[in-house]
Amino acid sequence: SDQRPRLRSGMSGRKETVLDLAKFVDKGVQVKLTGGRQVTGTLKGYDQLLNLVLDEAVEFEREQDDPLKLSGKTRQLGLIVCRGTAVMLVSPTDGTDEIANPFQSDGA
Amino acid sequence: MSTGGGADKSGGGGGGAVKTPSDFLKSIRGRPVVVKLNSGVDYRGILACLDGYMNIAMEQTEEYVNGQLKNKYGDAFIRGNNVLYISTSKRTLTDDA
């Protein structure tokens, strides 16, 4: 018989996700999206699929010929929803914030 | 006849013990790792935690594009579907507690 993958049953039995974005609500975040788009804004909401609601969102546009290079131009987007499936990376714009790590190990 | 899933639990230092990917992922928490995404970008940092979808939380994260450091993030969350691989600098897992 085909057993269910252990990775899922062992690690995601709870509905909570490892990405605790509650700490970043009403704070500035930067989001990288698949395909290379990059957006910053104030995180207003999120769900378990990592759909994000950003306010005062700004898109950083890229060079025409090099999608990995930012052109320096920006677009004001206002209130937006980032679809979770397109989210690659989320990071607080204030890099000094430290998350309480429940899995902290002594060897770290 | 089912292969013993329980064998994974008992297997510690015993010779012939099989390490599952799940065991590997548990063992690398708190360690410096390299995460490569489908886009080819590398993220290097301390692996804070990860879940069953391979969503990743990292600290002291550095972003490398084509081997060049591009960005630094104090914290970074990576959505698991983008992950191509996770790597540590260790060659073996023999030093795991």
Side-chain angles (χ1 to χ4, degrees):
Chain A
S1 63
D2 189 7
Q3 283 191 347
R4 300 187 78 182
R6 291 183 86 248
L7 186 68
R8 288 179 172 246
S9 60
M11 300 182 75
S12 62
R14 294 157 58 93
K15 298 207 168 184
E16 288 175 10
T17 170
V18 78
L19 310 179
D20 184 11
L21 294 177
K23 292 181 167 62
F24 302 108
V25 170
D26 286 327
K27 292 181 180 175
V29 294
Q30 52 185 318
V31 181
K32 284 182 185 289
L33 303 168
T34 53
R37 290 182 192 271
Q38 194 171 326
V39 186
T40 63
T42 304
L43 181 67
K44 287 297 181 180
Y46 66 97
D47 65 12
Q48 290 172 13
L49 304 178
L50 225 61
N51 294 317
L52 308 171
V53 179
L54 303 181
D55 200 6
E56 300 168 29
V58 177
E59 180 190 352
F60 292 86
E61 298 185 6
R62 295 155 290 158
E63 292 285 350
Q64 289 284 336
D65 49 347
D66 186 356
L68 290 179
K69 196 172 184 179
L70 296 182
S71 69
K73 298 177 184 176
T74 59
R75 279 207 298 163
Q76 304 291 324
L77 301 176
L79 184 66
I80 67 170
V81 174
C82 292
R83 182 172 164 84
T85 51
V87 171
M88 274 203 319
L89 181 137
V90 184
S91 180
T93 50
D94 181 8
T96 60
D97 282 342
E98 194 77 16
I99 305 175
N101 183 3
F103 299 101
Q104 190 166 8
S105 63
D106 297 330
Chain B
M1 182 180 296
S2 65
T3 56
D8 292 316
K9 309 257 180 175
S10 61
V18 177
K19 288 274 188 177
T20 65
S22 175
D23 294 324
F24 170 76
L25 293 177
K26 286 171 186 168
S27 73
I28 59 175
R29 280 178 182 167
R31 290 173 178 242
V33 294
V34 181
V35 178
K36 191 186 258 306
L37 304 191
N38 295 324
S39 61
V41 179
D42 289 307
Y43 291 93
R44 296 170 175 259
I46 307 296
L47 182 76
C49 48
L50 78 171
D51 65 15
Y53 301 102
M54 224 175 284
N55 293 326
I56 293 167
M58 291 175 76
E59 297 169 353
Q60 304 170 43
T61 309
E62 297 171 343
E63 178 185 83
Y64 290 85
V65 180
N66 298 323
Q68 297 178 11
L69 177 62
K70 291 294 183 180
N71 270 305
K72 288 191 178 184
Y73 307 103
D75 300 314
F77 303 129
I78 297 171
R79 200 174 189 274
N81 67 293
N82 303 294
V83 173
L84 185 60
Y85 64 68
I86 305 170
S87 174
T88 67
S89 56
K90 303 290 184 182
R91 300 295 289 180
T92 69
L93 295 175
T94 54
D95 58 344
D96 291 337

